[in-house]
């Protein structure tokens, strides 16, 4: 979305998966209440990051997940915990509501039916004039992560229009 706002000539169409829709003040509250408490591992980096999780801990929180999914998540987390913290801190400090008012390109908003970011989907739809909105069933979070084939299909169809 930032490129579409700052360099609209470089963007013809835009697909946003699970757009976190908030202003700077709302983002700060989300950072402090939701994200910051997750960063409890103080032994790995100069900033606290998310701790690694055993299969048993993961399964207790996500009873429908399979071990292969957990292994992939932990492999990614092992390499990117600091990046995850910095990106979440940065995104919650960004005024998405103000920026999206400036988007003038055709935009597809995609949300998983269980994505916690859906609480802002109606505001996102209203903020990005003319956007198309779709919700993908059986996706507890970002569609590109939980339903990658469906995400690719929706994106390709949108780009080909």
């Amino acid at each position: 979305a930032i490129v579409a706002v700052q360099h609209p000539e470089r963007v013809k169409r835009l697909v946003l998966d699970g757009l976190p829709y908030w202003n700077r003040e709302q983002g700060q509250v989300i950072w402090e209440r939701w994200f910051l408490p997750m960063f409890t591992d103080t032994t790995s980096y100069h900033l606290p990051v998310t701790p690694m999780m055993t299969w048993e801990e993961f399964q207790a929180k996500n009873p429908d997940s399979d071990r292969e999914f957990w292994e992939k998540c932990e492999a990614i987390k092992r390499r990117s915990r600091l990046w995850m913290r910095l990106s979440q801190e940065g995104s919650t400090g960004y005024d998405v509501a103000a920026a999206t008012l400036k988007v003038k390109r055709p935009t597809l908003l995609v949300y998983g039916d269980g994505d916690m970011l859906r609480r802002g989907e109606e505001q996102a739809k209203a903020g990005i004039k003319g956007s198309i909105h779709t919700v993908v069933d059986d996706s507890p979070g970002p569609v590109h992560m939980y339903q990658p084939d469906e995400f690719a299909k929706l994106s390709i169809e949108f780009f080909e229009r």
Side-chain angles (χ1 to χ4, degrees), residues 113-126:
D113 64 346
D115 194 335
M116 68 178 196
L117 294 171
R118 285 191 68 192
R119 67 174 173 258
E121 71 184 309
E122 292 302 318
Q123 294 92 335
K125 222 166 51 171

Side-chain angles (χ1 to χ4, degrees), residues 31-137:
W31 168 252
E32 290 172 1
R33 288 188 187 162
W34 175 255
F35 287 114
L36 195 55
M38 292 190 313
F39 302 116
T40 59
D41 180 349
T42 58
T43 63
S44 300
Y45 298 95
H46 65 285
L47 294 170
V49 294
T50 54
M52 301 301 291
M53 196 178 294
T54 67
W55 165 242
E56 292 76 21
E57 291 167 329
F58 186 79
Q59 198 173 31
K61 291 182 179 184
N62 306 281
D64 295 331
S65 291
D66 61 39
R67 192 173 182 103
E68 182 182 356
F69 179 76
W70 166 76
E71 288 171 355
K72 287 179 182 179
C73 288
E74 290 301 294
I76 291 167
K77 191 192 299 181
R78 205 173 291 110
R79 292 187 309 268
S80 62
R81 292 189 294 162
L82 182 59
W83 174 86
M84 289 165 55
R85 185 218 160 96
L86 295 173
S87 66
Q88 289 167 336
E89 189 172 8
S91 70
T92 54
Y94 186 70
D95 193 338
V96 179
T100 55
L101 292 173
K102 300 173 187 172
V103 172
K104 304 296 182 211
R105 295 293 187 240
T107 302
L108 173 63
L109 297 170
V110 181
Y111 290 91
D113 64 346
D115 194 335
M116 68 178 196
L117 294 171
R118 285 191 68 192
R119 67 174 173 258
E121 71 184 309
E122 292 302 318
Q123 294 92 335
K125 222 166 51 171
I128 303 175
K129 300 293 181 222
S131 61
I132 298 168
H133 171 255
T134 189
V135 176
V136 175
D137 292 334

